[in-house]
């Protein structure tokens, strides 16, 4: 049987995978910056990787170029950027005097991240209905990376802020890792809907948020992380009542 001729791929169709590969490059560059003790650059690179992670899938759907290869590449990028680069940054930043226990905390976080991604991939491929689209089960890996870097963001935002003791940082990193594989339901904004009359206010809020990140990046990131923690706790308490 003759094989069907291969069709050429439009260059624009490669854009989503190019964004994902760029995100991997940003995550690996963040590790290099952390090794060189340039932690602010490393943090910005992780933020850039998180931004690309948020748009590559949407770009793929808009262009109709969603593929199995792209989905697997996206999971690999999430593991490199959020499961490896983020905890290594914290390790190089504050745990050099507590290396053995600090490394165990890094391993716990990384393994929890890969387990979460594996669970997510299995659920996505399952023929049976998965969790509702309006929430995630466990903390998503990008959010986990931002939360684990919260002590670093705090030190950048407030010069005189005391750094948590090394044992506490290790426990904190491990706890965030466990949250990623927990059964806690966390909000998903993929299915969020806005009333037509509120669109203008939503757009204004986005503009204000972007301006805040560009003007006061570290304070804004601290505020966003704290708000996310409060939202997770509040949601868990509401579901118990």
């Amino acid at each position: 049987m003759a094989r069907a001729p291969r069709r050429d791929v439009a260059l624009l169709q490669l854009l989503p995978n190019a964004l994902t590969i760029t995100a991997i490059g940003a995550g690996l560059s963040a590790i290099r910056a952390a090794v060189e003790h340039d932690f602010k650059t490393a943090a910005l690179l992780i933020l850039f990787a998180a931004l690309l992670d948020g748009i590559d899938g949407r770009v793929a759907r808009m262009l109709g170029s969603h593929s199995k290869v792209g989905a697997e590449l996206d999971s690999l990028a999430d593991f490199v950027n959020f499961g490896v680069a983020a905890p290594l940054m914290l390790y190089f930043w504050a745990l050099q005097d507590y290396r053995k226990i600090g490394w165990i905390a890094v391993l716990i976080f990384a393994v929890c991240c890969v387990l979460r991604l594996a669970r997510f991939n299995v659920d996505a491929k399952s023929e049976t209905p998965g969790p509702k689209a309006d929430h995630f089960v466990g903390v998503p890996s990008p959010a986990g990376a931002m939360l684990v870097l919260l002590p670093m963001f705090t030190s950048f935002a407030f010069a005189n802020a005391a750094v948590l003791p090394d044992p506490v940082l290790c426990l904190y990193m491990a706890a965030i890792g466990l949250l990623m594989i927990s059964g806690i339901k966390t909000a998903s904004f993929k299915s969020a809907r806005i009333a037509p009359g509120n669109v203008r206010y939503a757009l204004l809020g986005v503009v204000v948020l972007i301006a805040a990140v560009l003007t006061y990046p570290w304070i804004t990131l601290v505020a966003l992380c704290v708000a996310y923690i409060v939202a997770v706790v509040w949601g868990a308490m509401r579901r118990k009542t």
Side-chain angles (χ1 to χ4, degrees):
M1 181 181 294
R3 293 182 178 180
R6 295 182 177 180
R7 294 184 299 176
D8 293 337
V9 178
L11 187 60
L12 192 61
Q13 299 292 103
L14 301 178
L15 179 59
N17 287 348
L19 293 174
T20 305
I21 292 173
T22 301
I24 294 175
L28 294 174
S29 298
I31 296 175
R32 177 184 176 182
V35 171
E36 296 175 349
H37 296 277
D38 188 0
F39 296 108
K40 287 188 177 182
T41 298
L44 292 175
L45 286 168
I46 288 295
L47 291 175
F48 181 58
L51 175 63
L52 293 178
D53 176 72
I55 65 175
D56 58 358
R58 289 170 175 79
V59 171
R61 287 187 289 272
M62 288 173 58
L63 298 176
S65 58
H66 186 74
S67 66
K68 294 181 179 179
V69 172
E72 297 299 327
L73 190 61
D74 188 65
S75 290
L76 292 173
D78 284 353
F79 179 60
V80 170
N81 297 333
F82 311 128
V84 177
L88 281 179
M89 287 167 55
L90 197 66
Y91 177 80
F92 289 125
W93 176 65
L95 298 175
Q96 291 298 285
D97 296 330
Y98 213 65
R99 294 186 179 183
K100 293 182 179 180
I101 304 300
W103 187 247
I104 292 175
V106 170
L107 293 178
I108 291 173
F109 185 91
V111 170
C112 288
C113 183
V114 77
L115 288 175
R116 175 185 168 71
L117 292 170
R119 182 179 67 183
F120 179 83
N121 289 344
V122 169
D123 290 341
K125 297 174 183 177
S126 176
E127 295 180 359
T128 58
K132 295 180 181 180
D134 63 346
H135 69 262
F136 295 112
V137 178
V139 173
S141 53
M146 295 300 105
L147 291 179
V148 85
L149 292 176
L150 177 58
M152 184 183 293
F153 297 154
T154 304
S155 73
F156 296 159
F158 308 102
N160 297 324
V163 178
L164 294 175
D166 290 350
V168 177
L169 276 177
C170 293
L171 290 174
Y172 176 76
M173 189 189 304
I176 298 299
L178 294 175
L179 283 176
M180 289 193 291
I181 60 173
S182 69
I184 296 175
K185 295 179 181 179
T186 57
S188 169
F189 300 101
K190 294 182 179 180
S191 60
R193 296 290 184 269
I194 300 174
N198 295 329
V199 170
R200 70 192 75 176
Y201 304 111
L203 293 175
L204 179 61
V206 170
V207 172
V208 171
L209 179 60
I210 293 175
V213 171
L214 293 176
T215 308
Y216 304 103
W218 310 120
I219 293 178
T220 303
L221 288 171
V222 169
L224 290 175
C225 288
V226 172
Y228 184 81
I229 293 172
V230 171
V232 170
V233 173
W234 176 254
M237 291 176 62
R238 286 189 62 187
R239 291 185 178 94
K240 286 183 179 180
T241 57

